Amino acid sequence: QAQLVESGGGLVQPGGSLNLSCAASGNIRTILGMGWYRQRPVKQRELVATKLLIGDETYADSVKGRFTVSRDNARHTVHLQMNNLKPEDTAVYYCYANRIVFATGRGPFDTWGQGTQVTVSS
């Protein structure tokens, strides 16, 4: 099974920026969708941004114009550039990979990362 490892979280002041990265490990052929979800205190996990293999992107209304998702399909990585961060962006951010197919032909599988904490506070 593929594993997703997130990095780049931390503490930042309101108006600041962070860049999250996620790398999928394993002998992978393709991943249909990759992106980010987040879970804020006392709230359910919600979609932040996703990007399909061919390029279609989806963003939550709350982050449009501030966050940008990008992928490197050769390296099986996905990134989230977060600008003009707000206190309400504070959450654990989870990387998600949809329909992973391995080079052996096995799959598809869906996988979640373990999460990285983003805290926006002055």
Side-chain angles (χ1 to χ4, degrees), residues 6-79:
E6 304 104 329
S7 63
L11 175 64
V12 65
Q13 292 183 319
S17 298
L18 285 174
N19 187 273
L20 305 184
S21 297
C22 173
S25 63
N27 189 15
I28 298 169
R29 179 180 297 163
T30 59
I31 305 174
L32 178 61
M34 295 190 77
W36 299 89
Y37 288 68
R38 69 185 180 188
Q39 188 163 5
R40 294 180 284 179
V42 305
K43 292 188 176 182
Q44 293 182 272
R45 192 172 298 184
E46 62 185 342
L47 182 146
V48 177
T50 61
K51 189 174 180 67
L52 295 179
L53 180 66
I54 300 175
D56 290 353
E57 300 174 11
T58 301
Y59 293 93
D61 289 341
S62 60
V63 307
K64 287 181 179 177
R66 300 188 297 120
F67 292 9
T68 303
V69 64
S70 61
R71 288 179 62 168
D72 185 331
N73 294 329
R75 296 180 175 86
H76 304 299
T77 60
V78 64
H79 308 272

Side-chain angles (χ1 to χ4, degrees), residues 65-103:
R66 300 188 297 120
F67 292 9
T68 303
V69 64
S70 61
R71 288 179 62 168
D72 185 331
N73 294 329
R75 296 180 175 86
H76 304 299
T77 60
V78 64
H79 308 272
L80 185 68
Q81 178 65 46
M82 304 185 293
N83 298 323
N84 192 25
L85 283 161
K86 303 175 180 180
E88 52 263 42
D89 294 318
T90 295
V92 177
Y93 284 73
Y94 295 91
C95 182
Y96 175 68
N98 173 243
R99 297 185 67 83
I100 301 169
V101 178
F102 291 93

